[in-house]
Structure formats: C-alpha cells, structure tokens
C-alpha cells in the first residue's frame, strides 16, 4: 500500500509540474478571459471571492448585484447595500474633493499630483469606474492623466510606483523578447504605446520613468476612442539613460547604464517589433517621446511594413495642420488660401520638422499635388533653431531640416543671413503665423511678440505648442497684451481664456494631440488598414479642422472643447476609415470584410454609426463564473496502479 501511496504522490507531483509547464494547454484555458463589452455580452471569469475583488478589470465593488454575489461567492465580503455606478461615482467625487489636499506630501507637492495619486488608486482597484469618472470629467482630468501633470508623474515615477502596469523590455532582455511577450495575459491587444524615455515631453531623458507617458496616452485611447482597456498595452523599452542624476540615484528603477546607441540600439527595437507583431499581428503601435535622433529613423524603418506611427512627428503635425487651417478660416479667408501663409517655425526637432513636412504636403495637395507644387511649398517656411535661421550655409545640417534651409542669396535680399535671430526673422518676414515647437519656455519674448505686430496679416496666429506648461513659448496673457486683441492663440498645454474687457474673450486654444491620435488609432483599427498612410493622417487633420463652426472660428476658436472629445474622435476615426478604403488599404475588422466596409463608407451616417457602435463604454458587464477545465494529457504508463493513481490525481485537481 505504501508503494501505491508513493506512486500516487509521484503522479500528483507530475500533474503539478504539468500545470506549470509552458507546453501545458491548461495555461490557455486558465488565461484571463477577454471579451468585448461593446456588445454588452456577459463576461466569463475564472475566479471568485476575494480574487475577483482584487482584480481591477472585473471588480465592481459595491455595485455587484445580489445574484452576482451569490454566483461569485461574494456574499458577506461586501456591505449589504448594492449601489449603482452613479452612486459610486458620487461617493468617489466627494472623497476626491476631500482628499485632494490631504493626499499631498507636504506644501511643495502640487495639487495636480495629489489628484493623479487618487485617480491612480481608483484605477488600481476598479478600471470600469475609473474610466467612467475620466470620461464624465474629461476636461478636468485629461490634464491630470496626460499633459501637463504626466510630465511631473514621469519625473517622480520611481517614487510613485506602486503597482505594475504595462510591460518593460530592457537591453538585458535581448534574445528573450519573443518569449517575454507571452507573459502578457491578453490574447488580443489592439493598441500599444511604446517609449524609450529618451525625450519625455520637454523634460529630456527620464529613462524607465517615461512609462508614465505611455500609460497616460492609453488612458486617453480608452476614454476618447473607446478602445477596450483590456486590449491596450503600455510599453517601456529600457536601453539605459544618459541622465546622470538618475544613474546616481539608488532608488531609480531602470537600468543604471548609459544608453545603447547605433546598431545595438536598433537591434533592441527590431526585436521588440518582431515579438509584438508575431503575437498580435493586427496590433497598432504608437511610438512616443523618442529623441529626435531616432524618431524619424524608426518611423521610416517600420511604417511601410507595420501598423505604426509616431505621435510626436505625425500626431503633433496633424493637430498643428488642423490649427493652421483653422487659423486661415479665423483670418476670414478660405482654407484653400493656406499655401499663401508665411510661417516662421521656432524649433527644428522631431516635432518641428514633422509639422513643417506635413504642412508642406498639405500646401502641395491644395496646389494640385504635383512635384512643382511640393517644391514651391517649402518657400513658405522659415525654420529657426537654437543657432538661428537655418540656411544652406549651415555646417553639419540635420538631413531632416535640409529641405527647409533658406537659400543664402534669397535670405540676403530679405535682410537675413545664416543664424539670424528669431526676432530678426519675425521682423523681416512679417509672418502670418509664428509657430513654436522649440521646448524652450518663454522663447517668444516681448521683443519677438512686438516684432509680430508688423505681420502682413490683420489677425496673426501665435502657436506656443511646446509641452509641458513651463516650456510654452509664451502665455496667452503675454500674447494678447503685447500683440493686441486681434490675434489667434493656441498652445500645447491648457491655459485659461483671457478676459480682454468689454465682454471680449481672448480664446486660448489648446492644440492637444488627443484631438487626433485616438481617432487615428481607432480608424486604423476599424478599417483593418495594413499601414497608416499620409493620406489617412491628412484626412484626420482636415476633419478636425472642419469640426469648428464658422461662427466659432470667427471668434478665434480653432480647436473644439475637450468635453466633446468622444464625438470628435468618432468623426476623425470615420475620416480615417474612409480614406483607408479609398486608398485600397482597408482589409476589414472582425466580421466586417473589406467589401462590406466599402459599402458602409458610401454613406456618411453609416460609417459614423459603425465607428460609434465599435467604441467601448465603461459599463459593468454581467460576470459569469466558469471553472477552468484542465486538458487531459495522455501518457502510456507501464504500471496499472500508477495509471489508476494518475486518474485519481486528475479528478482531485478538477
């Protein structure tokens, strides 16, 4: 009998090892069950009791119905009163207002960071409620989960880290990424935002702490575009940091080594891209806050083979284009006059050159999309960097900026030269638009703004687009007080409108990337487009520009209110879907094939309805518990007793 007992123990041990084995099909059956809640179908879960309360994806807190409490073994683990989601939100908001001050770590801790902490705690315990709160209060909380507060979060992320969210691929993981990607529990991922932390907003190299920007962006994908939160993945690629302060900080969570460069760096990014597209062939990857040195190179390397885009280069460009087209309308001119605009650009990094390239393509498209139109459009831009006006005399000029270097002789006729200051360029060019993407706070000084008074436009536009707030080239108060009331102002970070007196309001338009990137991602997903083309990006920008009514735009409003972000995203996504179909890039999505999608796109109302019906909303699904069933593995066993023991063991496990 003791021999039989030992055989039984051996079989039990074997069963446990098989359950842990990577080749065991049980791993698949016990994986977290993912289902689309767009159709409000019941969701199957493989956990009960405290496990379900500790899972933010499925936890409803006090909103669990009594039948669910019985079904999921929750009776007695929650207070008896079943609350509606509206009551839960009301209770949370009361707590939020009370805790905003108490959650601060002292007088130096900004109130916005305290709000972020409280919201993050909600995110950790109940995702559905978190997104309900975020969507219902998007104007107030978008600046908390995204810019400008997210910059502060990234700077302090090592100290704020509490619960892991997303994935970390590092230089130490080379050769392992293909297997690592299967550690993520979701069998379906629609959207990845990835950063290497090298250029977070205008704050520089923050290393592994840059994961905060990926998390914040995906919060907006969920809130604005209705991407299912169970299908998003924030990613940090840690290749080291050149931030000496972080390298010397013993509490820093990332690799404490200098950044990889050259072929070694490329090899890490290549391996990551291969891994994620192997597991999730239809995923969309958004590159975020990569330093200029790599932003363009990586974009060109992957964009023709993968569904990816770079938001700093293409998203910022699209929002700026929408704003520039809106500015033409606000000046009382038709959008077709855009190719006549004289634009001075302060900043020649990835964002600045990305905007100039996109604006040039837009002008060329309006002029007939010929090679001559594309060539002549570049003459509308004067690009100024830290060393002044860029001309063809510049030594070691960045290849990406080279097409916009002014001819020396032509510049001389305008009273300008290589390296002319921003003040000199504004004074001599007398531009219609002064566009700031420099990352240098206060760059639009009193002298620069005074020079803009000489603009040939009766209503010049000032775009202070750098983030976060402290890096804005100027404030709206400075712009309106120095240049005058009759201007158009836009910024990258949120500012309050300016009271000009006599009932007049100086509108502070926020040219936020969140107007576009959620719609670009959603439209690409729903079209099933193989790539994200320039035409799709252009269609997104043009739809955003047309969203503002004529009355609004004549008052100086060139961007819509953030409160309308779900509707804006729906419109932008619809434009992207239609463009993908027109370019024959669409392959369909789920049970909608390319031919059906083509029919849908023939009717504007139908494509808008298709997009809206595909957007996830934060509603609690009905949860149904299903016991995980083990797949039986059959072995040829020589001993009848061992075979019997193995069967007993399996039954015990089930």
């Amino acid at each position: 009998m003791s021999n039989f007992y030992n055989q039984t123990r051996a079989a039990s041990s074997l069963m446990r090892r098989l359950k842990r084995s990577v080749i065991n099909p049980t791993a698949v059956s016990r994986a977290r069950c993912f289902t689309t809640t767009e159709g409000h179908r019941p969701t199957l879960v493989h956990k009960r009791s405290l496990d379900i309360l500790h899972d933010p994806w499925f936890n409803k807190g006090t909103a669990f119905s009594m039948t669910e409490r019985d079904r999921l073994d929750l009776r007695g683990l929650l207070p008896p009163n079943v609350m509606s989601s509206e009551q839960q939100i009301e209770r949370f908001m009361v707590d939020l207002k009370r805790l905003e001050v108490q959650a601060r770590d002292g007088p130096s801790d900004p109130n916005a960071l305290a709000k972020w902490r409280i919201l993050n705690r909600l995110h950790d315990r109940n995702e559905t409620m978190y997104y309900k709160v975020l969507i219902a209060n998007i104007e107030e909380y978008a600046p908390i989960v995204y810019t400008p507060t997210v910059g502060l979060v990234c700077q302090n992320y090592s100290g704020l880290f509490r619960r892991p969210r997303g994935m970390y691929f590092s230089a130490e993981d080379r050769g392992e990424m293909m297997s690592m990607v299967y550690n993520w529990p979701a069998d379906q991922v629609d959207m990845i935002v990835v950063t290497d932390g090298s250029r977070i907003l205008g704050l520089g190299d923050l290393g592994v702490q840059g994961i905060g920007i990926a998390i914040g962006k995906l919060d907006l994908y969920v809130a604005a575009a209705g991407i299912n939160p169970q299908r998003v993945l924030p990613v940090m690629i840690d290749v080291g940091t050149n931030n000496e302060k972080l390298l010397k900080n013993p509490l820093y969570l990332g690799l404490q080594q200098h950044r990889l460069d050259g072929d070694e760096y490329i090899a890490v990014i290549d391996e990551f891209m291969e891994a994620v597209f192997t597991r999730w062939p239809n995923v969309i990857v958004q590159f975020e806050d990569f330093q200029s040195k790599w932003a363009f190179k990586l974009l060109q390397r992957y964009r023709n083979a993968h569904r990816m885009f770079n938001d700093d280069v293409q998203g910022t460009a699209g929002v700026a284009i929408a704003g520039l087209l809106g500015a033409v309308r606000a000046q009382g001119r038709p959008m077709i006059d855009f190719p006549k605009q004289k634009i001075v650009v302060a900043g020649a990094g990835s964002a600045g050159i990305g905007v100039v390239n996109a604006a040039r393509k837009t002008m060329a498209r309006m002029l007939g999309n010929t090679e001559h139109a594309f060539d002549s459009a570049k003459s509308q831009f004067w690009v100024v960097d830290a060393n002044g006006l860029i001309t063809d005399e510049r030594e070691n000029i960045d290849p990406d900026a080279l097409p916009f270097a002014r001819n020396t002789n032509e510049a001389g006729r305008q009273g300008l030269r290589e390296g002319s200051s921003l003040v000199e360029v504004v004074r001599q060019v007398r531009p219609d638009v002064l566009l700031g993407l420099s990352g240098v706070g206060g760059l639009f000084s009193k002298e620069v703004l005074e020079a803009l008074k000489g603009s040939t436009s009766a209503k010049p536009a000032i775009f202070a687009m750098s983030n976060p707030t402290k890096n804005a080239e100027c404030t709206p108060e400075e712009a309106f007080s120095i240049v005058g009331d009759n201007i158009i102002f836009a910024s990258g970070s949120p500012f309050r409108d300016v009271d000009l007196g006599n009932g007049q309001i100086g509108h502070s338009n926020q040219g936020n990337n969140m107007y576009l990137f959620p719609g670009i991602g959603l439209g690409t997903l729903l079209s099933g487009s193989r790539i994200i083309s320039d035409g799709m990006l252009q269609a997104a920008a043009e739809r955003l520009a047309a969203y503002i009514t004529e009355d609004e735009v004549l008052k100086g409003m060139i961007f819509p209110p953030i409160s309308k972000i779900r509707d804006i995203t729906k419109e932008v996504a619809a434009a992207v879907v239609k463009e993908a179909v027109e370019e024959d890039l669409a392959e369909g999505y789920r049970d909608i094939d390319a031919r059906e999608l083509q029919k849908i796109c023939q009717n504007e109302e139908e494509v808008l309805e298709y997009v809206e019906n595909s957007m996830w909303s934060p509603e609690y699904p009905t949860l149904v518990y299903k016991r995980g069933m083990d797949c039986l593995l059959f072995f040829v066993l020589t001993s009848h007793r061992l075979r019997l023991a193995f069967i007993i063991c399996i039954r015990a496990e089930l």
Side-chain angles (χ1 to χ4, degrees), residues 446-462:
K446 182 179 179 181
E447 292 74 22
V448 171
L449 294 174
E450 288 277 4
L452 190 61
K453 285 182 175 181
S455 169
T456 53
S457 172
K459 200 169 188 176
I462 301 168

Side-chain angles (χ1 to χ4, degrees), residues 157-158 168 196-197 206-212 236 238 252-255:
Y157 199 77
S158 288
Y168 298 81
D196 70 350
L206 297 182
V208 77
Q209 300 183 156
I211 186 71
M236 160 55 60
D238 185 2
Y252 175 60
L253 295 172
L255 293 180

Side-chain angles (χ1 to χ4, degrees), residues 488-510:
I488 302 150
F489 181 85
S491 59
S493 290
F495 286 98
R496 296 177 186 272
D497 289 341
V498 178
D499 185 355
L500 302 176
N502 300 320
Q504 299 274 342
I505 297 293
H507 290 284
S508 177
N509 298 279
Q510 187 188 2

Side-chain angles (χ1 to χ4, degrees), residues 101 220 244 352 406 455 540 583:
V101 175
L220 295 183
E244 294 299 327
R406 304 296 299 196
S455 169
E583 294 185 31

